[in-house]
Amino acid sequence: MASSTDRIEKRVLLRAPRERVWRAISDSKQFGTWFGAEFYGPFAEHATVAGKLVPTAVDPEVAKLQQPHAGRVLTIRVERVEPMRRFAFRWHPITVEGAVDLSKVATTLVEFALEDAPEGTMLKITESGFDSLPSERRDASFKSHEGGWTHQAGLIEKYLARTA
């Protein structure tokens, strides 16, 4: 079992059909709109997709929090696309500063899992692998992402309510 420092898990009940939630997490343009990113290509299994961070278009208060990070490069490696069920990717938590060979830096795994719920769709967001990060980055990454996923769960909920 993963330790409490290795895994972040958030659950949010989305009052939207599963198909709509699936598009919001698996389409790079829709994902970027609520998440706060602009991707340069579509999400596809085993693809590496680059982009940049931009403030979310869904919530002005969260957009203000994201503004200091605008323009930072974001690269994800799509691991799994199981339509209507699961979308997973790997990334480097908290941008590594300086000239670092990212191929030698551990990544974390982000998973979005969908389940039917009586009032819509239950979305489970899990990020795991923090214990494999270098100790000098582990605590800050975990703390930052713990709060970040709380915001993101609210952002997808607002995005789906606005675009229903």
Side-chain angles (χ1 to χ4, degrees), residues 68-145:
H69 307 287
R72 281 195 180 171
V73 173
L74 173 64
T75 304
I76 67 170
R77 166 81 177 153
V78 178
E79 294 289 315
R80 285 305 269 270
V81 178
E82 297 174 27
M84 306 298 292
R85 193 170 158 265
R86 184 171 163 233
F87 175 70
F89 62 82
R90 291 195 161 277
W91 68 355
H92 292 98
I94 297 186
T95 303
V96 178
E97 302 297 333
V100 174
D101 180 359
L102 290 178
S103 69
K104 296 181 178 160
V105 176
T107 59
T108 56
L109 178 66
V110 176
E111 298 178 86
F112 295 86
L114 304 180
E115 296 175 10
D116 290 329
E119 299 159 13
T121 305
M122 180 62 67
L123 172 63
K124 181 171 111 175
I125 304 168
T126 306
E127 184 172 9
S128 59
F130 289 95
D131 285 351
S132 66
L133 299 177
S135 59
E136 65 273 8
R137 293 185 59 228
R138 185 178 311 129
D139 292 342
S141 293
F142 187 89
K143 183 178 178 184
S144 172
H145 287 230

Side-chain angles (χ1 to χ4, degrees):
M1 174 147 176
S3 73
S4 61
T5 60
D6 188 59
R7 171 182 297 271
I8 297 167
E9 187 174 300
K10 304 290 180 187
R11 289 181 176 271
V12 60
L13 175 62
L14 301 170
R15 299 187 190 288
R18 192 175 187 144
E19 297 83 10
R20 180 71 190 97
V21 176
W22 175 251
R23 287 191 309 270
I25 63 171
S26 65
D27 176 273
S28 62
K29 185 172 175 64
Q30 289 190 44
F31 184 99
T33 299
W34 62 266
F35 185 86
E38 181 181 308
F39 291 98
Y40 304 135
F43 294 154
E45 195 164 85
H46 307 299
T48 298
V49 184
K52 66 181 177 181
L53 296 176
V54 298
T56 180
V58 174
D59 182 307
E61 293 303 312
V62 176
K64 285 180 192 175
L65 296 172
Q66 293 174 330
Q67 186 58 47
H69 307 287
R72 281 195 180 171
V73 173
L74 173 64
T75 304
I76 67 170
R77 166 81 177 153
V78 178
E79 294 289 315
R80 285 305 269 270
V81 178
E82 297 174 27
M84 306 298 292
R85 193 170 158 265
R86 184 171 163 233
F87 175 70
F89 62 82
R90 291 195 161 277
W91 68 355
H92 292 98
I94 297 186
T95 303
V96 178
E97 302 297 333
V100 174
D101 180 359
L102 290 178
S103 69
K104 296 181 178 160
V105 176
T107 59
T108 56
L109 178 66
V110 176
E111 298 178 86
F112 295 86
L114 304 180
E115 296 175 10
D116 290 329
E119 299 159 13
T121 305
M122 180 62 67
L123 172 63
K124 181 171 111 175
I125 304 168
T126 306
E127 184 172 9
S128 59
F130 289 95
D131 285 351
S132 66
L133 299 177
S135 59
E136 65 273 8
R137 293 185 59 228
R138 185 178 311 129
D139 292 342
S141 293
F142 187 89
K143 183 178 178 184
S144 172
H145 287 230
E146 173 71 29
W149 287 119
T150 298
H151 285 298
Q152 294 300 341
L155 290 175
I156 191 170
E157 186 173 27
K158 288 178 182 180
Y159 173 76
L160 290 167
R162 282 179 36 174
T163 60

